[in-house]
Amino acid sequence: MSRSGVEKVVPDGAGPVGEPGVMSEERKAFVGRSPGQLAWARLRRDRTAMVSGGVLVVLMVLALAAPLISKLYGVGPNEQFQELLDGNGMPLGYVGGITGDHWFGLEPGLGRDIFIRMIYGMRTSLFIAFAAALVTTTIGVVAGIVAGFLGGIVDTVISWITDVALALPFLIFALAVVPTVALRFYGPREEVPAWFQVAVLIGIFAAFGWTSTARLVRGQVISLREREFVEAARASGAGLGHMLFRQLLPNLWAPILVAFSLAVPQYITGEAALSFLGIGILEPTADFGRMIFQSIPYLQTDPAYVFFPGITIFALVLAFNLFGDALRDALDPKSSR
């Protein structure tokens, strides 16, 4: 307050009159921050995102380190302990044979260790889910960005193909195609290699999973193609590739990342469902869906057999979904979170 009784207006961030201006802490926190930094700040403030992200990191590290864990644990995924089963093939001891050597017990019948089978099963599921999400996201982004920018007959054809893919029943198509493809390359008595089973599943997911990403990207591109920066690039003589992947694509990373993060849990459950039905990953490769299918007859006699794989895949899918929702909120500039 001045001597005349009139309060002097000091510019925001400036110090007292006559002293060098010092920016306030609040202004410092927002100056020079990119959209990525702002999104990361929102994500860190979200406790659900941090907890679900931590769970995902732990589970993915366990899956990636499966061979190392097997060596430290001292048990292989296909190693059998028939001597620890009774005459009916049930694990000896309490709660499915849980001991210090077998943390989650043993499988009835074959006597394989459930814990190490779960680690390898999680590795299989995550690899298929991430590979399928990467392939489908790439196809969807390319199809959506081309359809949205070019429009006309190109947009009509791509939209028609998208509608056809959406109209096909995924489960019936998978039930018909997967066994047929296996018989096309391998005889009925030949063992189908694990890599071939994985490749077929990724191909099935790729045939159907790109449609949602393509529609999302197409809608975003239609809203961006008339913006000033696109018109300026077009006026400067930029080629089609430059327009699509240098001008438009950098403005689409937020919805693409969200679509990818939400596609992974869908493919985890989809792969488990196909294996449960007997057309996914087959023995002896460890897999969540196969483990749950084999545990159904032992729901009353050995509930631990179905509990541990079931709760693990539930936690994995839930963590992915929660993190995907939190990532969507963090990347949304209009979000209040």
Side-chain angles (χ1 to χ4, degrees), residues 102 179 238:
H102 306 286

Side-chain angles (χ1 to χ4, degrees), residues 149 224-235 243 248:
F149 183 75
L224 289 173
R225 66 185 181 185
E226 304 299 332
R227 298 281 292 273
E228 291 80 1
F229 69 93
V230 177
E231 294 293 340
R234 186 184 287 118
M243 296 291 296
L248 292 173

Side-chain angles (χ1 to χ4, degrees), residues 4-336:
S4 60
V6 180
E7 185 177 0
K8 293 185 177 181
V9 178
V10 181
D12 187 18
V17 179
E19 295 183 6
V22 180
M23 298 188 70
S24 66
E25 292 297 328
E26 185 177 356
R27 288 180 61 84
K28 282 184 180 180
F30 291 93
V31 170
R33 301 175 74 181
S34 66
Q37 291 173 325
L38 292 173
W40 172 241
R42 296 191 196 101
L43 199 63
R44 284 191 305 174
R45 291 197 300 267
D46 192 335
R47 293 183 179 179
T48 302
M50 292 294 99
V51 173
S52 58
V55 172
L56 289 178
V57 169
V58 171
L59 294 178
M60 286 191 289
V61 168
L62 290 175
L64 291 174
L68 177 61
I69 294 174
S70 179
K71 289 183 179 180
L72 296 176
Y73 191 58
V75 177
N78 295 316
E79 189 174 351
Q80 300 183 11
F81 298 90
Q82 295 285 341
E83 69 278 4
L84 299 179
L85 304 179
D86 60 18
N88 297 320
M90 298 299 296
L92 297 172
Y94 298 99
V95 197
I98 294 179
T99 62
D101 296 326
H102 306 286
W103 296 349
F104 291 173
L106 300 173
E107 288 183 343
L110 295 177
R112 294 178 298 191
D113 187 90
I114 293 177
F115 171 75
I116 202 65
R117 295 279 297 176
M118 280 178 44
I119 297 296
Y120 275 87
M122 186 160 50
R123 187 187 192 194
T124 303
S125 296
L126 285 174
F127 176 79
I128 293 175
F130 271 102
L134 182 62
V135 172
T136 55
T137 301
T138 302
I139 296 173
V141 168
V142 174
I145 199 172
V146 170
F149 183 75
L150 296 181
I153 186 65
V154 176
D155 186 21
T156 302
V157 172
I158 294 178
S159 298
W160 181 82
I161 296 174
T162 304
D163 293 337
V164 170
L166 289 171
L168 290 174
F170 168 76
L171 186 57
I172 296 177
F173 186 85
L175 287 170
V177 169
V178 173
T180 304
V181 172
L183 289 175
R184 174 64 179 81
F185 293 93
Y186 299 92
R189 296 184 179 180
E190 292 183 275
E191 182 179 351
V192 181
W195 67 266
F196 184 83
Q197 301 169 23
V198 170
V200 171
L201 286 180
I202 293 175
I204 291 293
F205 289 135
F208 288 87
W210 61 273
T211 54
S212 59
T213 303
R215 284 193 163 183
L216 174 65
V217 171
R218 175 184 175 273
Q220 294 290 325
V221 171
I222 289 176
S223 66
L224 289 173
R225 66 185 181 185
E226 304 299 332
R227 298 281 292 273
E228 291 80 1
F229 69 93
V230 177
E231 294 293 340
R234 186 184 287 118
S236 65
L240 178 62
H242 180 88
M243 296 291 296
L244 296 181
F245 302 107
R246 297 293 298 274
Q247 297 295 329
L248 292 173
L249 186 59
N251 293 279
L252 300 172
W253 284 118
I256 291 173
L257 287 175
V258 173
F260 181 87
S261 65
L262 295 177
V264 173
Q266 294 178 4
Y267 295 137
I268 292 175
T269 55
E271 183 274 328
L274 293 180
S275 297
F276 183 88
L277 295 174
I279 60 172
I281 302 300
L282 305 178
E283 290 285 358
T285 305
D287 181 80
F288 275 129
R290 176 62 55 180
M291 290 182 70
I292 294 175
F293 172 77
Q294 293 172 339
S295 67
I296 296 301
Y298 305 99
L299 282 174
Q300 294 183 347
T301 56
D302 189 5
Y305 188 16
V306 68
F307 173 77
F308 289 115
I311 197 67
T312 303
I313 193 173
F314 172 78
L316 184 62
V317 172
L318 179 63
F320 263 114
N321 283 322
L322 291 176
F323 187 79
D325 289 338
L327 182 63
R328 177 175 53 198
D329 293 334
L331 292 173
D332 184 6
K334 299 178 181 179
S335 176
S336 60

